[in-house]
Short mmCIF file of all heavy atoms in Angstrom, two decimals:
data_model
loop_
_atom_site.label_atom_id
_atom_site.label_comp_id
_atom_site.label_asym_id
_atom_site.label_seq_id
_atom_site.Cartn_x
_atom_site.Cartn_y
_atom_site.Cartn_z
N GLN A 100 -36.25 1.90 25.40
CA GLN A 100 -35.53 0.66 25.07
C GLN A 100 -35.53 0.33 23.58
O GLN A 100 -35.39 -0.82 23.18
CB GLN A 100 -36.09 -0.52 25.88
CG GLN A 100 -35.92 -0.32 27.36
CD GLN A 100 -36.42 -1.50 28.16
OE1 GLN A 100 -37.32 -2.23 27.76
NE2 GLN A 100 -35.81 -1.69 29.33
N ARG A 101 -35.66 1.36 22.78
CA ARG A 101 -35.53 1.19 21.33
C ARG A 101 -34.52 2.23 20.82
O ARG A 101 -34.39 3.31 21.39
CB ARG A 101 -36.88 1.35 20.62
CG ARG A 101 -37.86 0.25 21.01
CD ARG A 101 -39.16 0.31 20.25
NE ARG A 101 -39.70 1.66 20.23
CZ ARG A 101 -40.54 2.11 19.31
NH1 ARG A 101 -40.93 1.33 18.32
NH2 ARG A 101 -40.98 3.35 19.36
N PHE A 102 -33.86 1.88 19.73
CA PHE A 102 -32.80 2.71 19.17
C PHE A 102 -33.23 3.30 17.84
O PHE A 102 -33.82 2.61 17.01
CB PHE A 102 -31.52 1.89 18.99
CG PHE A 102 -30.95 1.42 20.29
CD1 PHE A 102 -31.30 0.19 20.82
CD2 PHE A 102 -30.09 2.24 21.02
CE1 PHE A 102 -30.79 -0.24 22.03
CE2 PHE A 102 -29.58 1.82 22.24
CZ PHE A 102 -29.93 0.58 22.75
N LEU A 103 -32.88 4.57 17.65
CA LEU A 103 -33.18 5.26 16.39
C LEU A 103 -32.14 4.87 15.35
O LEU A 103 -30.94 5.05 15.57
CB LEU A 103 -33.19 6.77 16.60
CG LEU A 103 -33.46 7.62 15.36
CD1 LEU A 103 -34.85 7.31 14.77
CD2 LEU A 103 -33.33 9.10 15.68
N LEU A 104 -32.61 4.35 14.24
CA LEU A 104 -31.75 3.95 13.13
C LEU A 104 -32.29 4.53 11.84
O LEU A 104 -33.45 4.96 11.78
CB LEU A 104 -31.69 2.42 13.02
CG LEU A 104 -31.13 1.71 14.23
CD1 LEU A 104 -31.58 0.28 14.28
CD2 LEU A 104 -29.62 1.80 14.22
N VAL A 105 -31.46 4.52 10.83
CA VAL A 105 -31.90 4.91 9.50
C VAL A 105 -31.79 3.70 8.59
O VAL A 105 -30.91 2.85 8.76
CB VAL A 105 -31.09 6.09 8.93
CG1 VAL A 105 -31.30 7.34 9.77
CG2 VAL A 105 -29.61 5.77 8.80
N GLU A 106 -32.72 3.62 7.67
CA GLU A 106 -32.63 2.63 6.60
C GLU A 106 -32.19 3.42 5.37
O GLU A 106 -32.86 4.38 4.97
CB GLU A 106 -33.98 1.95 6.38
CG GLU A 106 -33.92 0.79 5.44
CD GLU A 106 -35.23 0.04 5.36
OE1 GLU A 106 -36.29 0.69 5.35
OE2 GLU A 106 -35.20 -1.20 5.30
N GLU A 107 -31.02 3.04 4.83
CA GLU A 107 -30.44 3.84 3.77
C GLU A 107 -30.04 3.01 2.56
O GLU A 107 -29.73 1.83 2.67
CB GLU A 107 -29.24 4.62 4.30
CG GLU A 107 -28.12 3.76 4.84
CD GLU A 107 -27.00 4.57 5.47
OE1 GLU A 107 -26.85 5.76 5.16
OE2 GLU A 107 -26.26 3.99 6.27
N HIS A 108 -30.06 3.68 1.40
CA HIS A 108 -29.60 3.06 0.17
C HIS A 108 -28.07 3.05 0.17
O HIS A 108 -27.44 4.06 0.46
CB HIS A 108 -30.09 3.85 -1.05
CG HIS A 108 -31.57 3.85 -1.21
ND1 HIS A 108 -32.27 2.79 -1.73
CD2 HIS A 108 -32.49 4.79 -0.89
CE1 HIS A 108 -33.56 3.07 -1.74
NE2 HIS A 108 -33.73 4.27 -1.23
N THR A 109 -27.48 1.89 -0.11
CA THR A 109 -26.03 1.75 -0.19
C THR A 109 -25.72 0.97 -1.47
O THR A 109 -26.63 0.40 -2.09
CB THR A 109 -25.46 0.98 1.02
OG1 THR A 109 -25.78 -0.42 0.86
CG2 THR A 109 -26.00 1.51 2.34
N PRO A 110 -24.45 0.90 -1.87
CA PRO A 110 -24.11 0.07 -3.02
C PRO A 110 -24.48 -1.39 -2.83
O PRO A 110 -24.61 -2.14 -3.79
CB PRO A 110 -22.58 0.24 -3.14
CG PRO A 110 -22.30 1.55 -2.50
CD PRO A 110 -23.31 1.67 -1.38
N ASN A 111 -24.68 -1.82 -1.57
CA ASN A 111 -25.07 -3.20 -1.26
C ASN A 111 -26.56 -3.34 -0.96
O ASN A 111 -26.97 -4.31 -0.33
CB ASN A 111 -24.24 -3.71 -0.08
CG ASN A 111 -22.78 -3.77 -0.41
OD1 ASN A 111 -22.39 -4.19 -1.50
ND2 ASN A 111 -21.93 -3.31 0.49
N GLY A 112 -27.36 -2.37 -1.35
CA GLY A 112 -28.80 -2.43 -1.11
C GLY A 112 -29.18 -1.65 0.13
O GLY A 112 -28.38 -0.90 0.70
N LEU A 113 -30.42 -1.84 0.58
CA LEU A 113 -30.90 -1.15 1.78
C LEU A 113 -30.22 -1.71 3.02
O LEU A 113 -30.17 -2.92 3.22
CB LEU A 113 -32.41 -1.30 1.92
CG LEU A 113 -33.26 -0.47 0.96
CD1 LEU A 113 -34.75 -0.78 1.17
CD2 LEU A 113 -33.01 1.01 1.16
N ARG A 114 -29.70 -0.82 3.84
CA ARG A 114 -29.01 -1.22 5.05
C ARG A 114 -29.45 -0.37 6.23
O ARG A 114 -29.92 0.75 6.06
CB ARG A 114 -27.48 -1.07 4.89
CG ARG A 114 -26.88 -2.00 3.86
CD ARG A 114 -26.86 -3.44 4.37
NE ARG A 114 -26.18 -4.33 3.47
CZ ARG A 114 -26.79 -5.21 2.68
NH1 ARG A 114 -28.09 -5.27 2.66
NH2 ARG A 114 -26.10 -6.00 1.90
N LEU A 115 -29.25 -0.91 7.43
CA LEU A 115 -29.55 -0.18 8.67
C LEU A 115 -28.26 0.40 9.24
O LEU A 115 -27.22 -0.25 9.22
CB LEU A 115 -30.16 -1.14 9.71
CG LEU A 115 -31.53 -1.70 9.38
CD1 LEU A 115 -31.89 -2.83 10.35
CD2 LEU A 115 -32.58 -0.60 9.44
N ASN A 116 -28.38 1.61 9.77
CA ASN A 116 -27.22 2.27 10.37
C ASN A 116 -27.70 3.24 11.42
O ASN A 116 -28.87 3.66 11.40
CB ASN A 116 -26.44 3.04 9.29
CG ASN A 116 -25.03 3.39 9.69
OD1 ASN A 116 -24.53 2.99 10.75
ND2 ASN A 116 -24.36 4.15 8.84
N GLN A 117 -26.82 3.60 12.33
CA GLN A 117 -27.12 4.72 13.19
C GLN A 117 -27.09 5.98 12.33
O GLN A 117 -26.46 5.97 11.26
CB GLN A 117 -26.06 4.88 14.30
CG GLN A 117 -26.22 3.94 15.46
CD GLN A 117 -25.33 2.73 15.32
OE1 GLN A 117 -24.48 2.63 14.46
NE2 GLN A 117 -25.53 1.76 16.18
N PRO A 118 -27.72 7.06 12.77
CA PRO A 118 -27.48 8.32 12.07
C PRO A 118 -25.97 8.56 12.11
O PRO A 118 -25.36 8.56 13.18
CB PRO A 118 -28.23 9.35 12.92
CG PRO A 118 -29.26 8.54 13.68
CD PRO A 118 -28.64 7.20 13.89
N ALA A 119 -25.36 8.72 10.94
CA ALA A 119 -23.91 8.77 10.88
C ALA A 119 -23.46 9.46 9.60
O ALA A 119 -24.22 9.55 8.63
CB ALA A 119 -23.34 7.35 10.93
N GLY A 120 -22.21 9.89 9.62
CA GLY A 120 -21.65 10.50 8.42
C GLY A 120 -20.26 11.01 8.65
O GLY A 120 -19.66 10.78 9.71
N HIS A 121 -19.75 11.71 7.67
CA HIS A 121 -18.37 12.17 7.67
C HIS A 121 -18.20 13.52 8.35
O HIS A 121 -19.07 14.39 8.25
CB HIS A 121 -17.85 12.27 6.23
CG HIS A 121 -17.72 10.93 5.58
ND1 HIS A 121 -16.53 10.23 5.57
CD2 HIS A 121 -18.62 10.15 4.95
CE1 HIS A 121 -16.71 9.09 4.93
NE2 HIS A 121 -17.97 9.01 4.56
N LEU A 122 -17.07 13.67 9.00
CA LEU A 122 -16.64 14.95 9.53
C LEU A 122 -16.33 15.86 8.35
O LEU A 122 -15.67 15.45 7.40
CB LEU A 122 -15.39 14.75 10.39
CG LEU A 122 -14.73 15.99 10.97
CD1 LEU A 122 -15.64 16.63 12.03
CD2 LEU A 122 -13.38 15.63 11.59
N GLU A 123 -16.83 17.09 8.41
CA GLU A 123 -16.58 18.05 7.35
C GLU A 123 -15.55 19.08 7.80
O GLU A 123 -15.33 19.26 9.00
CB GLU A 123 -17.89 18.73 6.94
CG GLU A 123 -18.84 17.76 6.27
CD GLU A 123 -20.11 18.41 5.75
OE1 GLU A 123 -20.32 19.63 5.95
OE2 GLU A 123 -20.91 17.68 5.15
N PRO A 124 -14.91 19.74 6.84
CA PRO A 124 -13.91 20.76 7.20
C PRO A 124 -14.50 21.82 8.14
O PRO A 124 -15.67 22.19 8.01
CB PRO A 124 -13.51 21.38 5.86
CG PRO A 124 -13.86 20.34 4.84
CD PRO A 124 -15.06 19.62 5.40
#
Side-chain angles (χ1 to χ4, degrees):
Q100 298 182 332
R101 295 184 313 156
F102 294 92
L103 179 61
L104 299 158
V105 296
E106 188 173 40
E107 60 185 338
H108 296 281
T109 74
N111 296 318
L113 285 177
R114 294 288 186 255
L115 294 169
N116 198 6
Q117 281 97 9
H121 292 265
L122 176 68
E123 292 184 357

